[in-house]
DNA sequence: TTGGTTGAAACTAAAATGGTTACATCGAGA
DNA sequence: TCTCGATGTAACCATTTTAGTTTCAACCAA
């Protein structure tokens, strides 16, 4: 395949950093923790902003959470960074031959199964809030 | 992201075709139902063969199932076509900064959650056998 | 022996990703 | 008000993956 983009993991990293850092989080500061280019960070923050998860102080600099940590789930982040379009994790091959009994019906049958699998994945993501994640992070860095 | 390769859906198509077709399934015949190039089909059949799911008559032509329909799950197929490496659906960004409390620990915390989500997806795939899928296909094409 | 088939290599085109540079714009503080 | 740092984009580039195509040697059954 291809894996799910690292945008997702970077976005989670960014949000955790904003949540835990007392100082204002500029894209430069965040880029140093993620170890990538500040533009990459800004691009992802842009998506998080569009999803209403964070807010950015233009000019002054720094990103801030727009919701409580326990109001943001991993699914929200996953959706925000457009890891996949809704209901579209699995690629289907285009236009099977409709004259063939298998080709004519495989799509709808297979798609149903795939939607179930995808729903299971998303359900799992929806179970985890950033609050839980940050708590675990704090425990680890504390010990 | 990127979506999960259509190899997966094509592989399922191929196996269903083999299961349902009375005549021998050559890559040309299959390619016509899938509506793609025969070489694409052979490449995927090669992977299914490596996974022990099908067997091919070299020279003569035609692919045949090597296991019972109820012994093959969608997870088997998913793994066979190497949709993703094991435990690797989600991409993690490389080398976060270990000097940062978040960067140092985000990977292990996040990865745990991702493995759970991936396990949920794979569990769902493991629930569906080709037998079920073929049954549903038959019902549809019969009606 | 011949014809149809597989298996594999080599190549192409398109798309997605991650990364980089450059720059206009904004806004808070001196 | 001016300046400096930060954001938001656009434009580019290299790499990887995918899907598709052509070509051809090897194989085997009739």
């Amino acid at each position: 395949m291809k894996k799910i983009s690292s945008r997702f993991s970077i976005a989670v990293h960014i949000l955790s950093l904003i949540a835990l850092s007392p100082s204002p989080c500029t894209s430069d500061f965040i880029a140093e923790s993620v170890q990538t280019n500040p533009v990459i960070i800004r691009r992802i923050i842009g998506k998080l902003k569009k999803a209403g998860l964070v807010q950015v102080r233009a000019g002054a600099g720094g990103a801030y959470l727009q919701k409580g940590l326990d109001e943001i789930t991993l699914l929200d982040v996953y959706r925000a960074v457009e890891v996949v379009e809704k209901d579209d994790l699995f690629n289907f091959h285009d236009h099977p031959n409709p004259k063939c009994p298998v080709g004519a019906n495989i799509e709808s049958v297979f798609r149903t199964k795939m939607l179930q699998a995808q729903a299971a994945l998303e359900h799992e993501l929806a179970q985890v809030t950033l609050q839980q994640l940050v708590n675990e992070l704090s425990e680890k860095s504390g010990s």
Side-chain angles (χ1 to χ4, degrees), chain A:
Chain A
M1 135 201 198
K2 256 300 295 276
K3 306 172 191 177
I4 287 174
S5 165
S6 66
R7 273 201 305 278
F8 184 28
S9 73
I10 295 181
V12 172
H13 190 150
I14 292 173
L15 291 168
S16 305
L17 210 50
I18 295 176
L20 287 174
S21 172
S23 47
C25 288
T26 67
S27 56
D28 263 42
F29 171 72
I30 298 174
E32 206 165 308
S33 176
V34 177
Q35 295 216 308
T36 183
N37 195 289
V39 176
I40 303 287
I41 302 298
R42 280 183 232 143
R43 284 209 273 245
I44 295 175
I45 285 184
K47 290 181 186 294
L48 297 176
K49 199 166 62 172
K50 209 178 283 177
L53 301 183
V54 305
Q55 165 200 2
V56 176
R57 286 201 311 174
Y64 303 87
L65 293 182
Q66 191 117 10
K67 283 185 171 185
L69 276 178
D70 52 357
E71 290 176 289
I72 303 178
T73 72
L74 288 186
L75 182 59
D76 295 325
V77 183
Y78 176 85
R79 289 261 168 80
V81 296
E82 291 164 13
V83 174
V84 293
E85 297 298 307
K86 190 154 171 29
D87 288 346
D88 227 5
L89 176 58
F90 293 90
N91 237 333
F92 198 79
H93 59 290
D94 294 328
H95 321 304
N97 192 333
K99 288 182 205 148
C100 166
V102 172
N105 299 293
I106 184 84
E107 172 153 8
S108 70
V109 171
F110 183 71
R111 197 183 290 282
T112 304
K113 306 299 183 192
M114 291 311 97
L115 287 181
Q116 283 169 18
Q118 187 180 339
L121 182 145
E122 298 190 348
H123 176 79
E124 207 65 22
L125 293 181
Q127 299 308 301
V128 184
T129 65
L130 275 191
Q131 183 70 65
Q132 293 167 38
L133 217 127
V134 165
N135 286 347
E136 292 185 32
L137 266 179
S138 304
E139 284 173 29
K140 285 230 177 189
S141 61
S143 64

